[in-house]
Amino acid sequence: MKIAIVGLGYVGLPLSLQFARSGVDVLGLDIDPLKVSEINQGRSYIGHIESAAVQEQVQAGRLSATEDFSRARDVTAVIICVPTPLNKNREPDISFILATGEALAPHLARGTLVVLESTTYPGTTDEDLRQVLEAGSGLKAGVDFHLAFSPEREDPGNPASKVAAIPKVIGGLTPACLARAQALYGRAIKNLVPVSSCRVAEATKLLENIFRGVNIALVNELKVVYAAMGIDVWEVIDAAKTKPFGFMAFYPGPGLGGHCVPIDPFYLTWKAREYGQHTRFIELAGQVNTAMPEYVVQRTTAALNAQCKSVRGSRILIMGLAYKPDVDDDRESPSYTLLDLFKTLGAEVSYHDPHVPVIRKTREHGHWAGTRSTAWDQATISAFDVVVIATAHRAVNYQQLLDWSHCIVDTRNATHGLAAKPGQVWKA
Ligand SMILES: NC(=O)c1ccc[n+]([C@@H]2O[C@H](COP(=O)([O-])OP(=O)(O)OC[C@H]3O[C@@H](n4cnc5c(N)ncnc54)[C@H](O)[C@@H]3O)[C@@H](O)[C@H]2O)c1
């Protein structure tokens, strides 16, 4: 069996490796020549994926990559894992999916299965993608080729998260499309969860991410309320999670980050309008979560004030640039908002992140490109007026941070249980 996986990013690369390990020949398709070349040389460009894992499959002849979409003609199935961001008006941008469909369509052989994995609003597969594939190929979905949607559930940085062990939801355009998709994923994934349509599968992924966004907003709101009452929300959550039923722990932070939770819910908000529906929970959660960096700034201002210092002129270190622990993924990271806010207030800002030694050039944070992670030594760290822990990477020694720094604003409870000087740690 030979398949193509389009989009070799955080989702596509681990999926390619899982299929290759399962004995399927995988052709990776990407428009980024660097990624294509790295894969063909057996190298990983994603921090938490070992190069050895890529090299093993490349050497075994089960994995190769190309920019040439005409090679899709030789495969029995194509899985699409391309980005689905929001545009500058915070509306869905499915242009990457459409561009992929347009590039594939002329090379789509009769009988091929096409599966979309990118997170998106219900209707993308059976309306938008279907339309470009049919128009460019002259073939009919559900008749001449099969079409399905199966959302990705990758949890980057979680060592317990193995692609093969995560149940996979699949919806097909027709029962035959579903059966084909089940046969494909059955080669590499243990538990499959068939649902009645592509739209149900698309809506399932959105529910999962909305659930996270809303619950994170809830604990973020409670953090602020409880802090005003002198109650530590982390202690409350630890106590509440001892309840063996009906409770699931979510943790507050400096704001939402990553490619999924801050973005995907708004795909539904946009599509819901077409049906005259409003997504009030999503909007409210968005408001609460996006207000978090400002709350952190307020707490930092108070912490500096207690030392008779102002934000203007202070040296502020943001610990952790990635949006979650133990990964190098800085997309949508609230750390950037913190850097921007403090800089605007006149502070001298720096960051430290063992996973992000230098800030790459991106569309959103171009002005920080080239900035380097500060050194990790006592002289450097103790020169900051305040350190804001934004991401709690395990690679950081927090006791050392406490020993070296004057004042810490901890948004992740990373210093919990460690020896701090009186008044040194401010939770935020
Ligand atoms: N990262 C996650 O943890 C995660 C989890 C679940 C779902 N998702 C979803 O999966 C999708 C992909 O996310 P990702 O994090 O892997 O993105 P990514 O940016 O890491 O990777 C996307 C890849 O697609 C390539 N690409 C872009 N346009 C292309 C085109 N026209 N043809 C071929 N390749 C193209 C890019 O070069 C890049 O290598 C998104 O819809 C995302 O919401 C991501």
Side-chain angles (χ1 to χ4, degrees):
M1 185 190 241
K2 183 163 185 172
I3 67 167
I5 295 189
V6 188
L8 300 167
Y10 285 90
V11 166
L13 182 56
L15 189 68
S16 300
L17 292 173
Q18 180 52 27
F19 271 107
R21 277 193 291 265
S22 311
V24 175
D25 282 345
V26 179
L27 177 67
L29 277 167
D30 205 294
I31 51 169
D32 181 348
L34 257 165
K35 288 198 176 112
V36 166
S37 140
E38 288 289 279
I39 292 213
N40 289 332
Q41 290 175 68
R43 285 202 294 260
S44 167
Y45 38 79
I46 295 180
H48 59 278
I49 297 176
E50 301 278 328
S51 282
V54 178
Q55 198 173 26
E56 190 187 340
Q57 300 311 323
V58 170
Q59 276 175 358
R62 284 190 295 262
L63 175 64
S64 63
T66 179
E67 293 165 73
D68 178 5
F69 276 73
S70 72
R71 302 225 355 237
R73 191 164 284 286
D74 309 327
V75 302
T76 52
V78 182
I79 299 176
I80 302 172
C81 314
V82 294
T84 43
L86 294 173
N87 66 19
K88 62 177 176 9
N89 299 324
R90 297 196 64 76
E91 289 166 343
D93 173 6
I94 62 161
S95 62
F96 298 89
I97 296 178
L98 299 181
T100 301
E102 279 160 16
L104 275 176
H107 313 292
L108 196 63
R110 209 169 270 276
T112 309
L113 165 68
V114 179
V115 189
L116 180 63
E117 287 218 4
S118 306
T119 309
T120 184
Y121 55 77
T124 310
T125 309
D126 67 17
E127 282 173 1
D128 307 278
L129 179 60
R130 173 189 188 161
Q131 201 268 328
V132 288
L133 288 174
E134 288 184 341
S137 68
L139 301 175
K140 193 155 171 43
V143 178
D144 303 315
F145 69 95
H146 292 109
L147 188 58
F149 181 84
S150 179
E152 177 51 51
R153 283 172 163 168
E154 168 76 356
D155 185 10
N158 176 356
S161 168
K162 297 272 178 280
V163 177
I166 301 172
K168 200 132 180 39
V169 173
I170 310 174
L173 184 68
T174 65
C177 294
L178 175 61
R180 272 290 302 283
Q182 284 180 280
L184 167 68
Y185 284 106
R187 295 283 300 256
I189 313 278
K190 284 197 198 89
N191 290 317
L192 304 181
V193 185
V195 294
S196 62
S197 66
C198 298
R199 287 175 184 234
V200 169
E202 288 161 334
T204 303
K205 175 69 186 180
L206 290 182
L207 168 61
E208 291 167 10
N209 285 351
I210 292 163
F211 178 77
R212 279 193 67 72
V214 167
N215 279 288
I216 291 169
L218 177 65
V219 287
N220 274 333
E221 184 168 273
L222 291 180
K223 168 182 76 174
V224 177
V225 172
Y226 284 163
M229 298 175 172
I231 298 166
D232 179 341
V233 74
W234 284 273
E235 189 182 352
V236 173
I237 296 168
D238 277 351
K241 76 178 186 197
T242 60
K243 183 180 178 187
F245 48 87
F247 183 80
M248 182 183 275
F250 283 86
Y251 295 94
L256 285 185
H259 190 21
C260 295
V261 184
I263 291 172
D264 305 341
F266 295 98
Y267 267 66
L268 186 63
T269 299
W270 179 83
K271 189 69 178 174
R273 277 188 227 128
E274 195 180 309
Y275 296 82
Q277 298 297 316
H278 299 283
T279 54
R280 284 174 293 170
F281 267 104
I282 294 173
E283 301 282 359
L284 181 60
Q287 280 169 25
V288 173
N289 288 328
T290 50
M292 279 306 116
E294 267 136 35
Y295 175 70
V296 176
V297 170
Q298 253 178 47
R299 295 286 292 162
T300 309
T301 308
L304 286 167
N305 200 40
Q307 304 171 57
C308 301
K309 291 177 182 169
S310 63
V311 173
R312 177 172 299 277
S314 282
R315 296 197 65 209
I316 300 180
L317 178 68
I318 306 295
M319 283 290 298
L321 196 72
Y323 79 94
K324 66 185 277 191
D326 311 326
V327 300
D328 62 353
D329 189 350
D330 60 351
R331 289 177 293 178
E332 305 288 321
S333 174
S335 298
Y336 282 111
T337 316
L338 291 174
L339 286 170
D340 287 338
L341 288 172
F342 285 126
K343 190 169 180 215
T344 308
L345 290 171
E348 200 186 307
V349 281
S350 307
Y351 82 96
H352 178 81
D353 191 316
H355 299 283
V356 188
V358 58
I359 298 180
R360 288 163 292 202
K361 190 146 183 57
T362 55
R363 238 180 319 139
E364 301 84 28
H365 314 295
H367 51 296
W368 293 108
T371 309
R372 294 190 167 275
S373 173
T374 53
W376 182 256
D377 57 59
Q378 186 163 7
T380 309
I381 301 299
S382 64
F384 288 97
D385 296 293
V386 60
V387 178
V388 179
I389 302 175
T391 309
H393 290 306
R394 275 178 298 193
V396 171
N397 183 337
Y398 292 98
Q399 187 57 62
Q400 214 161 41
L401 180 66
L402 282 159
D403 295 344
W404 290 348
S405 54
H406 311 289
C407 177
I408 293 178
V409 174
D410 186 355
T411 73
R412 297 291 190 182
N413 207 27
T415 54
H416 175 69
L418 301 177
K421 300 174 248 312
Q424 185 188 12
V425 177
W426 292 63
K427 295 207 177 162

